[in-house]
Amino acid sequence: SNGMIVYMVEDHSLPAVDLQAFIRTGSIYDPVNKKGLAQMTGSVMRTGGTASLSGDELDEKVDFLGASLSSTIGTRRGSASLFVLSKDLEEGLELFADMLMNPVFEESKITLYKDQTMENLKARNDQPRRLLGLEFDRLLYGDHPFVWETDRAALETITRDDLIDFHNRYFRPNNVILAAAGDFDRDEMVRKLEFVFRSWTPEEIDFPSLPEVKVKNRPGVFMVQKEISQGYVNVGHFGVKDTNPDLYALDIMNFILGGGSFTSRITTKVRSDEGLAYNTGSRFVNQHDFPGTFYGYVQTKSSTVQYAVSLILDEFRRIRSERVSESEMETAKNYFLDSFPNRFSSSLNTMAAFAELEYDRFPLDYYDHYRANIEKVSRDEVLRVAKKYIKPDQMSIFIVGDIEACKAGSPDHPGSLEKWGKMTVIEPLDPMAASGGR
């Protein structure tokens, strides 16, 4: 009655209940000078106590019940979950509702969160793979909330009042979609939910407007200097949103190209045939509100970076120039059709799958048509989407590694990184800078 949307199913196979709430919020709504506010709010909601229980008391209650209780906020979605034995359902629901409605964000837990985050920030640029992902996304998206990361300057400005204000703004029952599954009676569960959330009043949410992502590819070679023996490489450009009708054909195409583990072309060529890398492939990362990314990736010795990149680009061109084989199509389709039931491997997963459709405003019959949409993808369709969405001449070749060693290559595979465009050295953002920035 307060506007919360609930998907639920009875499942009496085990004497337990699972709940998962999706809250329409995210770090995309962080203020520019308080990057990391949403993530902190989601974490300290759980650790920082409620109006009736301190954080430590809440931990003790959860432990005593043998339950689990959590909350988090990601880029474009908040979530909270509860697992509890069915005999303790009423008490578990009270704790779950109390955390969602009445967090107090104890100062001591905020301080603890900041201290732990500061330690993580100190090491962020020491992790080449993570650094590659952050800087590759920044290259494409620019200074957009979608790719913001917290830093020391922002972390130091966030106060308890900021967390309270963020929570008050987005945590309303009419902004929540709940998935529930387990050992309960459906009608009785509705009554219990009505009761525990009886004081939570709906309110219209004023979502901040978000800047549009300017889809402009950045061809060229971009490097971040790290004195390491390997190069961590992305070769790619902008991709598509997950509402794109070509997504089924793109999924099949990318599976064949580099997303299909050991069966994919890039893995076969770069890893199996040439022995250049253990970790290589390609990804179409589809986003909902923003265009995603497409890229090939490889982690290889500095001396073989150039050669590995050339092999990936060759595979990009090949899949754009000729139809894939019947056997490749069969393997790819079978993968998606055989793995499809995994989305519904448990009652909670099934309810959560439909709650996510609701969250993203997809039609609720989406899964009814999924298998047919995969099955009808043809070899001609794969070729069409490869030509349309893969643009070898617009690739950003982004490398984290020893610049001189990567440029030097090897006698067996001479060449020049500059043949793929102007080389730009990127100074990564320093998360510990007093004022933020590079």
Side-chain angles (χ1 to χ4, degrees):
S1 61
N2 60 16
M4 184 186 297
I5 297 170
V6 184
Y7 287 82
M8 64 170 64
V9 64
E10 295 181 26
D11 180 355
H12 303 287
S13 58
L14 292 172
V17 176
D18 272 301
L19 281 83
Q20 187 170 7
F22 301 107
I23 303 93
R24 203 175 294 282
T25 184
S27 61
I28 53 175
Y29 300 123
D30 281 346
V32 64
N33 61 333
K34 295 183 185 294
K35 301 169 186 174
L37 172 59
Q39 188 174 3
M40 189 187 302
T41 302
S43 179
V44 186
M45 263 187 67
R46 169 60 183 87
T47 62
T50 71
S52 59
L53 294 168
S54 71
D56 293 340
E57 289 171 339
L58 181 57
D59 288 341
E60 290 173 5
K61 288 267 191 181
V62 171
D63 290 344
F64 179 77
L65 295 176
S68 64
L69 180 68
S70 67
S71 68
T72 185
I73 298 178
T75 304
R76 54 174 299 274
R77 186 168 72 192
S79 64
S81 65
L82 170 72
F83 169 83
V84 67
L85 296 176
S86 49
K87 68 181 181 67
D88 300 318
L89 178 57
E90 289 189 7
E91 190 169 359
L93 284 176
E94 290 284 357
L95 298 176
F96 183 66
D98 200 20
M99 178 188 72
L100 283 172
M101 295 189 298
N102 308 307
V104 296
F105 303 105
E106 296 169 3
E107 288 284 4
S108 62
K109 301 300 184 182
I110 293 174
T111 299
L112 178 61
Y113 176 90
K114 287 186 174 184
D115 289 344
Q116 293 172 337
T117 303
M118 283 291 190
E119 289 303 310
N120 292 333
L121 290 180
K122 292 176 184 177
R124 192 167 77 190
N125 285 357
D126 296 331
Q127 303 166 16
R129 192 188 309 280
R130 177 163 169 72
L131 183 60
L132 172 65
L134 292 175
E135 293 297 335
F136 179 73
D137 284 348
R138 285 195 188 105
L139 177 71
L140 293 181
Y141 292 95
D143 185 24
H144 191 280
F146 181 65
V147 295
W148 283 351
E149 292 276 335
T150 193
D151 53 38
R152 173 188 166 190
L155 205 61
E156 289 176 342
T157 68
I158 297 173
T159 67
R160 177 173 176 266
D161 286 342
D162 293 324
L163 273 65
I164 293 171
D165 290 344
F166 192 94
H167 173 268
N168 287 342
R169 181 168 190 168
Y170 298 106
F171 280 75
R172 295 291 175 178
N174 52 305
N175 201 37
V176 175
I177 302 167
L178 183 67
D183 185 26
F184 54 74
D185 174 83
R186 185 183 185 281
D187 293 338
E188 182 64 23
M189 185 64 159
V190 172
R191 287 192 288 270
K192 291 180 188 297
L193 291 172
E194 288 277 9
F195 179 76
V196 297
F197 290 113
R198 64 193 180 279
S199 63
W200 212 9
T201 56
E203 188 172 303
E204 185 176 349
I205 311 295
D206 181 22
F207 291 96
S209 60
L210 294 170
E212 183 181 355
V213 173
K214 297 178 181 178
V215 180
K216 183 179 180 181
N217 293 325
R218 299 283 304 276
V221 180
F222 304 85
M223 298 195 69
V224 172
Q225 170 62 28
K226 296 290 289 183
E227 291 189 12
I228 51 180
S229 60
Q230 293 188 315
Y232 292 73
V233 187
N234 280 355
V235 183
H237 50 51
F238 274 109
V240 300
K241 295 183 180 180
D242 63 4
T243 51
N244 190 305
D246 287 332
L247 201 59
Y248 302 100
L250 283 169
D251 282 343
I252 297 289
M253 184 275 295
N254 185 62
F255 183 92
I256 295 169
L257 175 63
S261 187
F262 298 110
T263 66
S264 72
R265 291 180 174 186
I266 290 175
T267 304
T268 299
K269 185 64 177 179
V270 178
R271 174 178 170 162
S272 303
D273 294 351
E274 298 292 337
L276 299 182
Y278 177 82
N279 184 30
T280 187
S282 66
R283 295 190 178 105
F284 253 103
V285 183
N286 308 305
Q287 304 296 344
H288 188 69
D289 302 299
F290 311 100
T293 54
F294 162 73
Y295 59 93
Y297 62 91
V298 65
Q299 176 186 337
T300 187
K301 293 185 299 183
S302 301
S303 60
T304 55
V305 162
Q306 295 182 38
Y307 186 46
V309 170
S310 69
L311 294 176
I312 291 173
L313 289 171
D314 286 345
E315 293 302 333
F316 288 173
R317 297 185 188 98
R318 182 160 77 103
I319 204 163
R320 296 178 77 253
S321 62
E322 60 187 37
R323 291 195 301 171
V324 299
S325 69
E326 290 283 6
S327 62
E328 287 176 315
M329 284 293 292
E330 183 180 5
T331 299
K333 286 187 176 182
N334 286 342
Y335 168 80
F336 288 104
L337 295 174
D338 292 345
S339 61
F340 177 66
N342 295 339
R343 304 183 189 207
F344 316 103
S345 59
S346 71
S347 297
L348 180 67
N349 285 352
T350 303
M351 293 301 97
F354 284 98
E356 288 175 342
L357 291 182
E358 181 88 42
Y359 188 94
D360 289 330
R361 299 184 176 93
F362 272 70
L364 293 182
D365 65 351
Y366 171 83
Y367 295 119
D368 294 343
H369 308 292
Y370 179 85
R371 292 177 63 89
N373 283 326
I374 289 293
E375 287 171 339
K376 71 182 183 184
V377 174
S378 67
R379 295 163 66 197
D380 287 335
E381 279 290 284
V382 169
L383 182 60
R384 180 185 66 81
V385 298
K387 287 182 176 179
K388 181 175 181 180
Y389 296 103
I390 298 179
K391 304 175 178 66
D393 61 337
Q394 296 186 35
M395 294 288 165
S396 298
I397 299 170
F398 205 111
I399 305 166
V400 174
D402 189 308
I403 294 175
E404 293 305 318
C406 291
K407 288 170 64 177
S410 70
D412 293 334
H413 305 292
S416 170
L417 289 173
E418 286 91 341
K419 67 183 177 183
W420 293 307
K422 177 185 175 183
M423 179 179 292
T424 304
V425 177
I426 300 291
E427 185 67 29
L429 287 178
D430 179 3
M432 295 303 293
S435 58
R438 297 191 189 272

